[in-house]
Amino acid sequence: MRIVMIGAGRVATHLAPALVKAGHDVVQVYSRTMASAESLARRVGAAAVTSIDDVVTDAEVYLCVVTDAALPRLLPQLCSKGRGEKALFLHTAGSMPLDVFAGKARRYGVAWPMQTLSKERRLDFRQVPLFIEADSADTLSVVEQLARSISDRVLPLTSADRRQLHLSSVFACNFVNHCYALAADIVERAGIPFSMLLPLIDETARKVHDLTPREAQTGPAVRYDENVIRRQAAMLTGRQREVYELMSKSIHEQYD
């Protein structure tokens, strides 16, 4: 398929090479800045553009990999000028509904990769779950064919369920990583390298493959050991202390 990437950020940086590897032709990369557009375009043999007016009108797929705020603003212009006649428009956002395309495109869908993606890290995209949705059964078939060309884990999911899964992933990934950052701040202030925590972090992640999160939970908050909790809270100030106390209370309430 002839594909245009609308966006050159973290998701696009992983998606575009995966599409090329699967035999698709990424013909253009759009970004607001030429540096970003060119950086990704060079990797996949595409042309770089910074204006929606310069986006070609004969691509088969326009893959929108932009922020939730930018997507509704870009679509009216992107879907005009003949691009909307036969083309398939897709977005990759976890929290944006399918109907963001309604009234703007004839064929549209969603292909959301549920994975934490960073430009600096490479991963096997075939193992990344892709949750898909489309405006019709016929369009869904095309979206599924495209998704399966780059991933072995493709599942249909409604917009409502996708929002729930996205919310869950914020807790499971983004909030957990923020806890790593808080932990790093604490140990580094004491002159202890963060790497000392990595065996603990790795085992915690491995455990939930075999146990439920509730079964895997340990620590003073489970039994609400007030002496330990009080001493540790006293070692913290400001937002860190608030997070510690709120998390301890939330954990304890699950086991009370």
Side-chain angles (χ1 to χ4, degrees), residues 4 6 52 55-57 59-64 71 74-92 98 100-102 104-111 133-135 139 142-143 146:
V4 171
I6 306 297
I52 292 295
V55 171
V56 297
T57 60
E60 295 171 86
V61 179
Y62 294 87
L63 192 53
C64 302
L71 183 61
L74 284 173
L75 288 183
Q77 187 178 0
L78 178 65
C79 298
S80 65
K81 296 188 177 181
R83 297 188 192 96
E85 296 303 313
K86 296 181 180 179
L88 172 61
F89 292 85
L90 297 174
H91 79 65
T92 61
L98 172 69
V100 70
F101 290 110
K104 304 177 185 69
R106 291 187 179 183
R107 300 171 68 227
Y108 52 88
V110 179
E133 188 180 11
D135 66 278
T139 305
V142 177
V143 176
L146 177 63

Side-chain angles (χ1 to χ4, degrees), residues 110-130:
V110 179
W112 173 47
M114 192 187 71
Q115 185 54 277
T116 175
L117 302 172
S118 299
K119 286 186 176 182
E120 301 79 9
R121 287 186 59 81
R122 297 288 175 259
L123 50 77
D124 181 3
F125 209 90
R126 298 218 64 86
Q127 300 305 312
V128 175
L130 273 176

Side-chain angles (χ1 to χ4, degrees), residues 1-4 24-27 56 58-62:
M1 289 183 172
R2 282 171 52 82
I3 299 172
V4 171
H24 301 287
D25 185 11
V26 175
V27 296
V56 297
D58 62 348
E60 295 171 86
V61 179
Y62 294 87

Side-chain angles (χ1 to χ4, degrees), residues 93-242:
S95 58
M96 290 296 288
L98 172 69
D99 63 13
V100 70
F101 290 110
K104 304 177 185 69
R106 291 187 179 183
R107 300 171 68 227
Y108 52 88
V110 179
W112 173 47
M114 192 187 71
Q115 185 54 277
T116 175
L117 302 172
S118 299
K119 286 186 176 182
E120 301 79 9
R121 287 186 59 81
R122 297 288 175 259
L123 50 77
D124 181 3
F125 209 90
R126 298 218 64 86
Q127 300 305 312
V128 175
L130 273 176
F131 295 94
I132 62 172
E133 188 180 11
D135 66 278
S136 69
D138 286 344
T139 305
L140 185 65
S141 178
V142 177
V143 176
E144 182 172 3
Q145 181 182 359
L146 177 63
R148 290 195 181 281
S149 72
I150 60 174
S151 172
D152 295 327
R153 301 181 178 188
V154 178
L155 291 170
L157 201 66
T158 66
S159 290
D161 286 343
R162 183 161 32 85
R163 282 195 297 269
Q164 294 293 329
L165 187 57
H166 187 255
L167 172 60
S168 176
S169 72
V170 169
F171 276 89
C173 174
N174 307 130
F175 288 177
V176 169
N177 191 74
H178 181 60
C179 286
Y180 295 160
L182 296 179
D185 184 59
I186 291 168
V187 294
E188 287 166 4
R189 285 202 308 263
I192 302 169
F194 178 73
S195 60
M196 298 293 285
L197 292 171
L198 292 179
L200 175 66
I201 290 170
D202 292 343
E203 175 59 14
T204 302
R206 280 193 295 265
K207 280 202 297 185
V208 293
H209 286 265
D210 303 312
L211 304 173
T212 67
R214 182 183 174 87
E215 291 170 336
Q217 188 71 59
T218 61
V222 172
R223 57 190 181 275
Y224 212 70
D225 188 330
E226 292 189 68
N227 289 331
V228 174
I229 292 172
R230 193 179 302 113
R231 285 197 301 270
Q232 291 186 338
M235 297 168 65
L236 303 169
T237 59
R239 189 69 70 194
Q240 280 190 343
R241 180 164 183 163
E242 291 177 24

